[in-house]
Amino acid sequence: MDRKKLILEAAAKSFSLYGYKATTMDQVAKLANVGKGTIYTFFKTKEELFDEIINSLIADIRFEVESALNESASILENVNNVLARIHEFRESHQLTIKLIQEERDMGTQTVVDAMQRVEQSIIQYIKAIIQKAIDKGEIKACDTEITAFVMLKMYFSLVNEWQRNHPPLKKEEIAKLFELYLLKGLLT
């Protein structure tokens, strides 16, 4: 296995276990079984290494989005499938869990910025779904970025925040709420 790949795997593991702030280049070197100088051959700073890990995370999310899309499905089905897949990914992906926790609890600026990049990439994927639905005449023209943002925030609020004081909603219930609150007003 090449050293850069070993370093990236070790860094992802360290960021997943300890978060961004608590991860050191020494830890990454130890996990990768390489000298610290070897890391600096590929990455000048911890921030640069972290950026490469975030790029990989975004690529993984893109794969999840693409595998959830169905060209013959309605916008409602596609948006719900994509958001459900992203939610499942976030809930099972150790690095994402740790970064969300660090963002919430510590507000580490590098992590906040990285998570904004991740969120923006998700919004771009949803925008594309919305634009295809507009092009097909399935929904009215709208500001795709605002609509994608509202859909993302609404979905995660219904999945995460709602269940703090209520029984969790099923995927089908969320789809009905999306249809009721967002799409009925957009249908042509």
Side-chain angles (χ1 to χ4, degrees):
M1 184 177 276
D2 77 56
R3 288 182 175 194
K4 184 175 182 180
K5 188 172 181 180
L6 279 173
I7 292 165
L8 287 169
E9 288 176 2
K13 183 175 183 179
S14 186
F15 291 132
S16 296
L17 292 171
Y18 308 113
Y20 173 79
K21 198 168 196 162
T23 291
T24 66
M25 294 299 244
D26 286 327
Q27 286 171 325
V28 174
K30 187 175 181 178
L31 285 170
N33 201 23
V34 299
K36 195 160 84 168
T38 303
I39 295 174
Y40 289 112
T41 303
F42 299 103
F43 305 99
K44 292 179 174 119
T45 63
K46 180 170 99 169
E47 292 79 15
E48 191 177 300
L49 177 57
F50 184 64
D51 190 53
E52 184 80 20
I53 299 297
I54 295 302
N55 289 339
S56 178
L57 176 64
I58 291 169
D60 291 346
I61 292 170
R62 180 181 301 121
F63 175 79
E64 294 296 324
V65 167
E66 289 170 358
S67 62
L69 286 174
N70 177 350
E71 288 298 320
S72 62
S74 71
I75 183 174
L76 179 62
E77 292 170 294
N78 271 327
V79 167
N80 276 298
N81 288 340
V82 164
L83 290 172
R85 184 75 64 91
I86 291 169
H87 175 69
E88 290 166 11
F89 178 85
R90 284 175 42 145
E91 293 292 305
S92 65
H93 193 267
Q94 188 59 43
L95 175 62
T96 308
I97 293 167
K98 190 65 173 178
L99 294 178
I100 289 169
Q101 179 184 32
E102 184 171 340
E103 177 185 34
R104 181 190 65 227
D105 296 346
M106 300 172 73
T108 306
Q109 193 58 52
T110 303
V111 174
V112 170
D113 295 344
M115 296 310 288
Q116 285 176 351
R117 273 184 51 217
V118 170
E119 181 177 289
Q120 194 56 41
S121 70
I122 294 168
I123 288 171
Q124 294 305 312
Y125 304 141
I126 298 169
K127 272 179 63 174
I129 296 168
I130 295 166
Q131 188 60 57
K132 281 183 182 176
I134 291 169
D135 295 345
K136 290 189 329 191
E138 192 176 352
I139 60 173
K140 294 178 186 177
C142 61
D143 184 312
T144 57
E145 185 155 6
I146 291 172
T147 305
F149 175 85
V150 168
M151 287 178 167
L152 178 67
K153 295 300 184 176
M154 180 178 171
Y155 187 87
F156 285 135
S157 291
L158 289 171
V159 170
N160 297 321
E161 294 175 33
W162 176 260
Q163 69 182 2
R164 290 183 191 151
N165 298 312
H166 304 86
L169 296 168
K170 294 181 174 95
K171 185 179 174 182
E172 299 77 27
E173 292 172 307
I174 293 171
K176 286 180 183 177
L177 291 170
F178 261 69
E179 184 176 31
L180 175 67
Y181 293 121
L182 294 173
L183 296 179
K184 286 290 187 186
L186 294 175
L187 292 177
T188 57

